[in-house]
Amino acid sequence: TLFRSDPTSPRLIADMAHQTGIHATPELKEFFAKARNGSVRLIKVVIEDEQLILGAYKELSGAWDRDYDSFVLPLLDETQPCYILYRLDTQNAQGFEWLFISWSPDNSPVRLKMLYAATRATVKKEFGGGHIKDELFGTLKEDISLGGYKKHVSSCSAPAPLTAAERELQEIKISEVKTEISVESKHQTLQGLAFPLRPEAEKAILLLKQKKLNYVQLKLDLEKETTELVHTNPTEIAELPQRIPEDSARYHLFLYKHSHEGDYLESVVFIYSMPGYKCSIKERMLYSSCKNRLLDSVEQDLQLEIAKKIEIESGAELTAEFLYDEVHPKQHAFKQAFAKPKGPAGKRGQKRLIKGPGENGEDI
């Protein structure tokens, strides 16, 4: 089933500099809820009239890998980006697991690539990040094919550490956008942008690693092309929402102190806050493209282990319950299911997954 759309319409391109936020339509949200019960194999999402809409979908036919190329590849347009959610056959405590695909072909307009890159986190949030097992980015169909996905999985699970050259190659392949922009008259590949950490920012991160600090906030200096330290004010969980600016993007590192299954844990959480339409397209684009390089620097150069990476739009999302669910999604979800008073949790969960499609009259 295919729905026609024109995400390169003149109105959308002309208005892109004045975005007022892009979110899923009620119809797409309703379809997401239906799809999560397991009856749908593939969902294609596109941007039309500044909204996320359903572009196409495919119902179950065979095993996930047997359906993959015949379902996914025909839906990839050579000139228009899109998002594809592909249902795998594995499950976690929240239900079936999904692969999130970002398609950004080389021949698509530069502004359209930027728009899709800046909206990617919104799509994941609208669908439900806990259902997404893996992410895949591609500019060529071979990147997105079943063979390309298997190579991606293999490279991510390889036990041997990558060399600097191999890391560079991997970053180029899985980058969010592959197009050239101009920053202070210097042409760079967007995925290659790296704003180096200032010495005071590095020092603050090392102090957090030693647990002498529990919070570090960073920002990009767009003129100097560096990553600057904003502040390191001591922060409790209840104060964390107040640390998120309402009108500008930021990177945050938070030492999350909590108990899990009887153990006391101190986990470092990386938070990328982007308040949507209140930021310019350029700012959204630069923060999105500099994030991976910053994480490389923090995790590999400074050797700081990050337990969870989170993307948010508003500080109001950062509740104690939200943080716990993000850091421990499977265990927490299972614990909630087990707490229900009637019957064994495992059997009840399986019945729901099988029963859902049947109630809608759809074949699995």
Side-chain angles (χ1 to χ4, degrees):
T1 306
L2 184 64
F3 298 87
R4 297 293 180 188
S5 63
D6 181 16
T8 58
S9 63
R11 178 176 179 272
L12 179 58
I13 298 299
D15 292 345
M16 190 165 60
H18 306 286
Q19 286 298 312
T20 56
I22 295 176
H23 296 282
T25 61
E27 293 78 13
L28 180 59
K29 291 181 179 179
E30 184 178 346
F31 191 82
F32 277 168
K34 171 187 173 184
R36 285 193 295 265
N37 69 23
S39 62
V40 174
R41 175 64 76 189
L42 176 150
I43 309 168
K44 179 179 179 180
V45 178
V46 296
I47 298 175
E48 181 179 290
D49 294 330
E50 301 183 16
Q51 296 183 100
L52 293 166
I53 69 165
L54 180 64
Y57 72 93
K58 297 283 188 180
E59 296 182 346
L60 294 176
S61 175
W64 77 271
D65 51 352
R66 193 180 74 184
D67 289 342
Y68 189 95
D69 282 343
S70 62
F71 278 16
V72 174
L73 299 184
L75 296 180
L76 302 179
D77 191 296
E78 295 293 345
T79 60
Q80 295 179 357
C82 69
Y83 312 104
I84 290 179
L85 289 150
Y86 190 85
R87 205 214 81 180
L88 305 173
D89 291 338
T90 54
Q91 298 184 41
N92 62 23
Q94 298 187 36
F96 283 101
E97 295 180 314
W98 293 70
L99 169 64
F100 180 64
I101 301 171
S102 297
W103 169 245
S104 185
D106 288 330
N107 295 331
S108 60
V110 172
R111 291 184 179 182
L112 204 54
K113 292 181 182 181
M114 295 190 299
L115 180 62
Y116 273 78
T119 311
R120 183 176 60 87
T122 301
V123 180
K124 292 165 56 181
K125 180 182 175 184
E126 298 277 16
F127 184 74
H131 297 274
I132 296 173
K133 179 181 181 179
D134 207 353
E135 296 184 45
L136 188 63
F137 172 89
T139 61
L140 302 172
K141 286 190 176 183
E142 62 190 47
D143 299 332
I144 303 299
S145 68
L146 180 61
Y149 175 52
K150 288 183 176 179
K151 287 180 182 178
H152 166 75
V153 172
S154 177
S155 67
C156 290
S157 60
L162 299 176
T163 65
E166 288 170 335
R167 282 204 307 271
E168 186 76 8
L169 184 61
Q170 186 184 53
E171 288 170 358
I172 290 172
K173 188 170 183 180
I174 65 172
S175 60
E176 292 180 336
V177 181
K178 194 177 181 184
T179 185
E180 289 193 352
I181 63 166
S182 177
V183 178
E184 292 190 351
S185 300
K186 293 187 300 183
H187 286 280
Q188 306 181 41
T189 304
L190 186 58
Q191 52 79 25
L193 288 178
F195 285 17
L197 284 162
R198 296 282 297 162
E200 59 271 19
E202 285 193 0
K203 181 179 178 181
I205 294 171
L206 290 172
L207 288 173
L208 183 135
K209 178 182 176 182
Q210 299 167 14
K211 301 181 180 178
K212 295 180 180 178
L213 297 175
N214 78 332
Y215 176 77
V216 174
Q217 184 176 130
L218 305 169
K219 71 174 182 178
L220 298 182
D221 188 319
L222 304 188
E223 294 184 1
K224 297 179 181 178
E225 298 184 20
T226 56
T227 302
E228 307 279 339
L229 175 66
V230 180
H231 70 80
T232 59
N233 296 340
T235 302
E236 300 298 327
I237 294 178
E239 300 171 320
L240 198 54
Q242 304 167 23
R243 302 287 187 234
I244 310 301
E246 296 180 355
D247 56 357
S248 58
R250 289 289 188 271
Y251 302 123
H252 317 258
L253 290 162
F254 179 61
L255 186 61
Y256 176 38
K257 302 177 182 180
H258 63 290
S259 296
H260 173 63
E261 296 183 347
D263 295 326
Y264 175 74
L265 301 176
E266 294 185 346
S267 309
V268 176
V269 178
F270 175 84
I271 303 167
Y272 164 41
S273 62
M274 172 58 69
Y277 66 90
K278 295 182 181 178
C279 296
S280 68
I281 289 292
K282 178 181 178 181
E283 183 177 354
R284 295 169 68 179
M285 174 186 65
L286 289 174
Y287 269 85
S288 178
S289 60
C290 288
K291 179 186 62 176
N292 288 339
R293 288 299 185 90
L294 172 62
L295 287 169
D296 274 352
S297 180
V298 171
E299 293 181 294
Q300 297 171 19
D301 299 336
L302 302 182
Q303 294 292 301
L304 176 63
E305 181 180 351
I306 296 178
K308 184 67 180 180
K309 304 173 182 71
I310 300 172
E311 297 182 15
I312 63 168
E313 293 185 358
S314 167
E317 299 173 50
L318 292 176
T319 63
E321 181 180 3
F322 173 81
L323 278 176
Y324 186 87
D325 286 345
E326 288 292 318
V327 176
H328 305 288
K330 294 184 179 180
Q331 297 90 331
H332 185 56
F334 176 80
K335 192 182 296 183
Q336 292 299 318
F338 190 78
K340 293 188 177 182
K342 295 182 180 181
K347 293 182 179 179
R348 286 170 57 81
Q350 292 171 2
K351 288 180 179 179
R352 283 198 299 273
L353 290 170
I354 295 171
K355 185 178 180 182
E359 289 178 337
N360 295 328
E362 298 168 351
D363 295 328
I364 295 179

